[in-house]
Amino acid sequence: MNYIDKNFYKLTNEIKSLTQDELFQKIKRNYLFLPEHFKKIFEDYFKRFTFWGTLSQNLDDYTEIQLKAKVLKTHINDFIWLYKKLEDYTSKFLLYSIIRNWVYYDFTSLKKSLSTQQYHYFDLDIIPKCKNEVFVDVGAYVGDTTLDLINCYGEDCYKKIFCYEITKNMLPVLNKNLNSYNNIVLRHAGLRDKNSNIFLDENFQDVSANRTALKGSEKVACVTLDDDVKQQVSMIKMDIEGDELRALKGCKKHIMKDKPKLLISIYHKNEHYFQIARLINLYNKNYKFYLRNFGSELYPTEIVLYAI
């Protein structure tokens, strides 16, 4: 057994040996041992981005830690399943680093796992070339991922691109950034598991973190990819602030029939690390899985699951 396997199974066995409350207390103690400036960074971050729960030492609020302990204790076998499904040791080391960061606030391993040499979403060791792609950019924002695709592989890499963005104010920026390229379709819509109207939940500190909600002041149309795009799709990227699992359910026919390359952000919800991979595996068992880290050395963000 190599050192990455050994370290991963040592860590998961340790988690298995603890009760959920013991694991919570362990993570909490490790958090409280952090220098004050690190604790401020974490608490400010979870106040700004509310995906993972709240955290405040002054208020004795450790909800974020409780949720991590719960998902690790309840689903450690799902994390082990994902580890076994990963195709390379870059991916396996990253998953180990994520769990170790959650438990021990280990910044060193997470820093080592960062992908610093590649375009975000476009790791050439996983996707070395693209030609005549029908690319679906879900959560297109200002078009940065679409531009990265073109810059990485050249203008002949795609046949058509569909960009989905829920924030209306981003559409003029998106259009400006992409209007010099042909065959790019902009959609002011979200992707979900059924066609419906939903509301925009605005993050006023960071517009890139806008997401859908059941109530709000601005309605947004949501569609399924299976209904909205009838032609064959070859690549799908998703970064939609926690709605990725629901949106993938609306891509079921494309995934089963077209077998597109899938580049999915999985860090917005703790459970998504294994839930999204299991859903894709349910739809098509021939997919191979990889993980890459394009985020921070302090906390796992911008974690991408590749299903190829």
Side-chain angles (χ1 to χ4, degrees), residues 100 132 141 194 205 228 267 279:
R100 184 166 174 83
N132 293 323
Y141 188 40
K194 60 182 178 180
Q205 298 185 69
D228 202 50
Y267 64 95
L279 181 69

Side-chain angles (χ1 to χ4, degrees), residues 23 52 58 65 110 135 137 151 178 187 190-191 250 296-297:
L23 181 58
W52 307 281
N58 289 339
I65 294 175
L110 200 61
F135 177 59
D137 187 353
N151 289 331
L178 300 179
R187 296 269 207 260
L191 284 192
S296 166
E297 64 190 62

Side-chain angles (χ1 to χ4, degrees), residues 138-139 163-167 171 187-191 220-223 228:
V138 188
C163 292
Y164 290 84
E165 175 55 46
I166 61 171
T167 304
L171 269 293
R187 296 269 207 260
H188 178 218
L191 284 192
V220 178
C222 287
V223 298
D228 202 50

Side-chain angles (χ1 to χ4, degrees), residues 82-95:
L82 176 59
Y83 184 85
K84 291 177 178 178
K85 294 290 288 185
L86 294 172
E87 287 292 317
D88 65 0
Y89 275 95
T90 298
S91 305
K92 290 175 184 285
F93 179 78
L94 172 52
L95 185 57

